Amino acid sequence: MMDVRRARTPAGFTLIELVITLAIIAILSTVALPLTDLVVQRAKEHELRRSLRDIREGIDAYKQAWDEGRVLRRAGESGYPRSLDDLVAGVEDLRSPKKERIYFLRRIPRDPFSSDPLLSAVETWGKRSYASPPDEPKEGEDVFDVHTLAPGLGINGRPYREW
């Protein structure tokens, strides 16, 4: 026969167990939040490097085609595209018997640090003309190089504009 007088142990957690659990979760979240910010920044920086590399390779391919005489040469031109849109729109290949077009990029990538959704992808980039000095890039009649307009420093300590 069962002894009815025996005390039953309550099921569940005590208040102190819940408080300790919440304290542990709070400590872990304070450690995790800065890491997530770092992961997001690192992903944006990776995308920035890739976008800059793609655009610069397109600019270099345009210049190479110009040097090879495949792009129409005009007096006084540097051989670089007049705008980033020329890389996507393409140019007529002067060496092609069918007058086919040469395309240098499928699309212009957006600057991952640009926060204005109303700007086109081309407008998110700073452009440097061939005639401008390297320490003070300015837009001009052609596009020799691109840079981000984002302020601040990268994880590597270099300003984003210098990438």
Side-chain angles (χ1 to χ4, degrees), residues 21 29 35 38 51 61-62 81 95 120 155:
T21 303
S29 67
L35 290 177
L38 182 64
S51 297
Y62 185 99
R95 289 193 178 172
S120 70
I155 295 173

Side-chain angles (χ1 to χ4, degrees), residues 51 53-59 61 84-90 102-109:
S51 297
R53 184 183 63 239
D54 290 347
I55 294 172
R56 288 172 176 162
E57 285 176 356
I59 292 170
L84 292 178
D85 291 324
D86 291 347
L87 301 175
V88 176
I102 307 171
Y103 300 96
F104 303 97
L105 286 175
R106 291 184 182 188
R107 66 175 181 82
I108 302 293

Side-chain angles (χ1 to χ4, degrees), residues 74-87:
R74 292 182 183 89
E77 282 191 341
S78 64
Y80 290 97
R82 292 183 188 177
S83 72
L84 292 178
D85 291 324
D86 291 347
L87 301 175

Side-chain angles (χ1 to χ4, degrees), residues 5-21:
R5 291 178 281 170
R6 195 166 82 190
R8 296 179 80 188
T9 56
F13 297 104
T14 64
L15 181 62
I16 191 72
E17 291 172 330
L18 291 174
V19 169
I20 291 173
T21 303

Side-chain angles (χ1 to χ4, degrees), residues 38-84:
L38 182 64
V39 168
V40 169
Q41 183 180 2
R42 185 172 287 149
K44 282 186 174 182
E45 288 184 4
H46 177 72
E47 182 66 27
L48 176 64
R49 277 190 201 94
R50 192 173 80 209
S51 297
L52 286 170
R53 184 183 63 239
D54 290 347
I55 294 172
R56 288 172 176 162
E57 285 176 356
I59 292 170
D60 291 343
Y62 185 99
K63 174 66 169 142
Q64 182 178 358
W66 190 86
D67 289 342
E68 293 171 353
R70 297 175 68 190
V71 176
L72 180 63
R73 294 180 180 208
R74 292 182 183 89
E77 282 191 341
S78 64
Y80 290 97
R82 292 183 188 177
S83 72
L84 292 178

Side-chain angles (χ1 to χ4, degrees), residues 142-157:
D142 58 11
V143 180
F144 173 71
D145 195 14
V146 293
H147 58 87
T148 183
L149 299 173
L153 298 174
I155 295 173
N156 61 4

